[in-house]
Amino acid sequence: MSLEKNPVCRSNKSPWVCLTCSSVHCGRYVNGHAKKHYEDAQIPLTNHKKSEKQEKAQHTVCMDCSSYSTYCYRCDDFVINDTKLGLVQKVREHLQNLENSAFTADRHRKRKLLENSSLNSKLLKVNGSTTAICATGLRNLGNTCFMNAILQSLSNIEQFCCYFKELPAVELRNGKTAGRRTYHTRSQGDNNVSLVEEFRKTLCALWQGSQTAFSPESLFYVVWKIMPNFRGYQQQDAHEFMRYLLDHLHLELQGGFNGISRSSILQENSPLSASNKCCINGASTVVTAIFGGILQNEVNCLICGTESRKFDPFLDLSLDIPSQFRNKRSKNQENGPVCSLRDCLRSFTDLEELDETELYMCHKCKKKQKSTKKFWIQKLPKVLCLHLKRFHWTAYLRNKVDTYVEFPLRGLDMKCYLLEPENSGPENCLYDLAAVVVHHGSGVGSGHYTAYATHEGRWFHFNDSTVTLTDEDTVVKAKAYILFYVERQAKAGSDKL
């Protein structure tokens, strides 16, 4: 059996092979010809008496050639069962051999191009020597670009990624299945899952250069098990996924279950916990040590002047795009100034009067009164995650704010937003960009997510399975949705925001 392009639409994206007749069609999220193949096979059975031979030839089971998962259209679910002779596993092994052969040939082709092409040598020249792209893409498992963009961004935050990659492996299977990959159904009652372990495995698979794309099937299975909001194959919000992912990683790291040792909780003498005082839902973990900051929320009663202060831990800051910029969609439009990240930060931290729906319960006046509110940053995190609120609700729809927001690649200065800036050194307030998540399209339930990230001085564009080298000029033109800034450690001259 050999894999060719889908004969119907000629697409080579997401190939699904029918396990009855070995025909190859595109998956349900390309043009859906694999499903149509199944439906066409059912037509004769609706008009004639089903014989035993016809029953066996219904073309109901197919395999995703990317993840090697087996899917039954009649059950509308992934399946784990195999035949008595293990024929499904033999198909998997054959497909794997085909992919390995193609990958080896592709590596030889790329090596030859690098040796003979001066253009490629220029593009991939690092420290005086020519190297191949070592980045690994993530296969789309069915509208999972929201997850892929977040995973690629987090994998390029070095301190965070290295912590997980250095965790000891957790063996979740025993007995006959030890060391073998299992193929789960989405609904089977398996509670013995670990998000930390599958997250660790995924991070280890990236940047090792041994494959062009990795299938995060096992991680997605765990996501379905412990995050019901993300079950199904509809498009999801990348920011919402990131928050759920970080929250669950934090809870599992401090929970001491599923094989995760309580030593994973940061100890007092840990370098990550030395300056960390931000604890969210219990003890500090690498999540709060890296992303954790603290806000001071000041509310003042406009009637009696009573001031109320509250400290709130955060893992990211959600920033409004000021209304005066919402019609400016590109950097080069001439209708007024370009919206900058500073405009969004200023809008977030500036003093504002609360409207009638947000009246403050003044303890001195003993009733709800008009008041003002202001945010200060009491403690900055090591990695500052900024979420631009591009989606907002109107009467019946959730619309997208498509405004271009200018952001710096280096030298984001956060000192003016600090509660006590005199207690922070100049370098502790400067941040350099590590990754950007971009939403392409018009709505939250549609469109596509990609990510830009920097690794060892080079910028990459991560578009599911495809990873390409890019440049800074391309990155700064992106309409950012989520920005990841890393605290600058060493002194260096840079332009400030």
Side-chain angles (χ1 to χ4, degrees):
M1 181 180 68
S2 62
L3 292 182
E4 300 177 353
K5 287 186 177 181
N6 166 27
V8 180
C9 65
R10 307 300 295 170
S11 172
N12 57 6
K13 295 181 179 179
S14 185
W16 288 37
V17 57
C18 175
L19 296 187
T20 301
C21 64
S22 298
S23 62
V24 179
H25 295 83
C26 64
R28 62 198 302 173
Y29 296 106
V30 182
N31 293 311
H33 287 121
K35 185 176 182 181
K36 188 175 186 303
H37 173 71
Y38 155 70
E39 292 171 345
D40 290 345
Q42 309 311 301
I43 294 175
L45 299 178
T46 59
N47 300 324
H48 302 86
K49 185 177 180 181
K50 297 180 182 180
S51 66
E52 182 179 353
K53 183 178 180 180
Q54 287 174 319
E55 184 70 30
K56 291 182 179 178
Q58 290 185 39
H59 305 260
T60 59
V61 181
C62 61
M63 181 178 290
D64 183 342
C65 300
S66 298
S67 64
Y68 310 130
S69 299
T70 308
Y71 190 85
C72 176
Y73 277 109
R74 177 183 288 180
C75 301
D76 195 26
D77 199 358
F78 288 91
V79 294
I80 190 173
N81 297 335
D82 200 344
T83 65
K84 291 181 179 179
L85 299 177
L87 297 178
V88 174
Q89 183 59 29
K90 290 181 180 179
V91 173
R92 288 194 185 105
E93 293 170 356
H94 182 65
L95 290 175
Q96 182 69 66
N97 290 335
L98 287 175
E99 184 177 22
N100 290 340
S101 299
F103 177 65
T104 301
D106 189 54
R107 288 186 68 181
H108 286 307
R109 182 182 63 82
K110 287 182 178 179
R111 188 179 295 114
K112 196 168 184 179
L113 283 173
L114 287 171
E115 292 171 353
N116 300 326
S117 172
S118 60
L119 176 61
N120 282 352
S121 297
K122 183 178 179 181
L123 285 174
L124 301 176
K125 199 168 185 180
V126 183
N127 296 328
S129 62
T130 302
T131 59
I133 296 177
C134 61
T136 300
L138 286 168
R139 291 193 177 100
N140 193 311
L141 305 177
N143 279 335
T144 57
C145 56
F146 69 93
M147 178 178 75
N148 292 346
I150 294 298
L151 292 175
Q152 293 286 16
S153 298
L154 295 177
S155 77
N156 284 282
I157 298 175
E158 185 176 2
Q159 202 173 15
F160 184 72
C161 180
C162 287
Y163 177 89
F164 284 93
K165 290 198 295 185
E166 291 170 3
L167 285 177
V170 178
E171 185 55 60
L172 297 178
R173 299 183 294 276
N174 297 309
K176 295 181 180 179
T177 60
R180 289 172 51 195
R181 180 176 177 182
T182 58
Y183 294 83
H184 305 279
T185 60
R186 300 294 189 192
S187 58
Q188 73 182 65
D190 181 6
N191 294 319
N192 190 25
V193 295
S194 168
L195 180 64
V196 170
E197 171 65 359
E198 295 305 333
F199 185 67
R200 182 194 70 80
K201 289 179 181 176
T202 301
L203 293 182
C204 287
L206 301 176
W207 294 109
Q208 62 184 8
S210 62
Q211 53 188 332
T212 55
F214 172 75
S215 180
E217 175 77 16
S218 297
L219 175 61
F220 195 41
Y221 166 72
V222 175
V223 168
W224 276 39
K225 293 296 291 185
I226 67 177
M227 305 180 198
N229 292 22
F230 298 96
R231 289 176 185 169
Y233 292 99
Q234 66 273 23
Q235 183 64 278
Q236 301 281 0
D237 185 276
H239 175 251
E240 185 180 2
F241 172 76
M242 182 196 74
R243 286 305 312 270
Y244 270 87
L245 177 68
L246 292 179
D247 287 345
H248 280 278
L249 287 172
H250 171 65
L251 291 173
E252 188 172 320
L253 283 169
Q254 63 179 319
F257 59 88
N258 282 340
I260 302 299
S261 168
R262 293 195 66 87
S263 63
S264 298
I265 302 173
L266 297 184
Q267 304 300 322
E268 289 298 323
N269 58 356
S270 168
L272 282 177
S273 65
S275 60
N276 180 67
K277 297 179 181 178
C278 177
C279 297
I280 300 173
N281 296 327
S284 175
T285 67
V286 67
V287 176
T288 54
I290 297 288
F291 292 96
I294 300 175
L295 282 176
Q296 177 177 292
N297 183 359
E298 291 182 358
V299 179
N300 285 275
C301 176
L302 291 177
I303 306 303
C304 69
T306 299
E307 183 180 89
S308 173
R309 295 181 181 178
K310 185 173 67 170
F311 292 95
D312 297 313
F314 68 86
L315 294 179
D316 70 312
L317 297 178
S318 291
L319 312 178
D320 280 307
I321 297 174
S323 56
Q324 65 266 31
F325 296 108
R326 290 191 179 180
N327 292 325
K328 189 173 179 60
R329 298 197 172 190
S330 72
K331 183 176 182 179
N332 299 322
Q333 280 184 346
E334 297 179 358
N335 56 334
V338 175
C339 180
S340 70
L341 192 57
R342 168 175 266 179
D343 293 316
C344 300
L345 285 164
R346 187 185 296 117
S347 175
F348 179 79
T349 56
D350 275 356
L351 184 72
E352 66 169 314
E353 184 173 338
L354 299 176
D355 60 31
E356 295 292 331
T357 62
E358 299 178 294
L359 292 179
Y360 163 65
M361 174 58 76
C362 178
H363 297 290
K364 186 174 181 180
C365 297
K366 305 296 183 183
K367 62 178 181 178
K368 290 185 176 181
Q369 300 283 30
K370 288 186 175 181
S371 57
T372 60
K373 179 180 71 174
K374 180 172 176 58
F375 284 120
W376 294 97
I377 298 178
Q378 198 268 340
K379 175 188 174 295
L380 283 165
K382 294 183 182 298
V383 174
L384 178 64
C385 180
L386 301 176
H387 161 236
L388 299 179
K389 295 162 72 172
R390 292 196 173 275
F391 300 107
H392 67 98
W393 286 100
T394 57
Y396 301 102
L397 299 172
R398 196 179 186 191
N399 292 330
K400 181 181 178 182
V401 180
D402 209 27
T403 301
Y404 170 77
V405 177
E406 195 172 53
F407 56 90
L409 294 182
R410 286 173 287 275
L412 171 62
D413 192 348
M414 295 295 293
K415 192 166 187 175
C416 61
Y417 310 108
L418 282 177
L419 178 64
E420 298 174 341
E422 65 277 3
N423 293 336
S424 297
E427 293 298 324
N428 298 114
C429 302
L430 290 179
Y431 287 80
D432 298 323
L433 190 66
V436 187
V437 173
V438 181
H439 178 269
H440 311 266
S442 58
V444 67
S446 60
H448 183 59
Y449 288 98
T450 66
Y452 294 95
T454 180
H455 182 81
E456 296 181 350
R458 295 182 292 175
W459 279 96
F460 292 85
H461 184 214
F462 298 90
N463 183 4
D464 288 335
S465 299
T466 305
V467 182
T468 55
L469 276 169
T470 188
D471 53 39
E472 294 184 352
D473 290 339
T474 301
V475 176
V476 296
K477 292 176 183 176
K479 292 182 181 178
Y481 182 46
I482 306 172
L483 296 147
F484 296 87
Y485 280 94
V486 177
E487 180 185 46
R488 183 180 295 177
Q489 298 299 320
K491 289 187 178 183
S494 64
D495 296 327
K496 295 182 181 180
L497 175 67

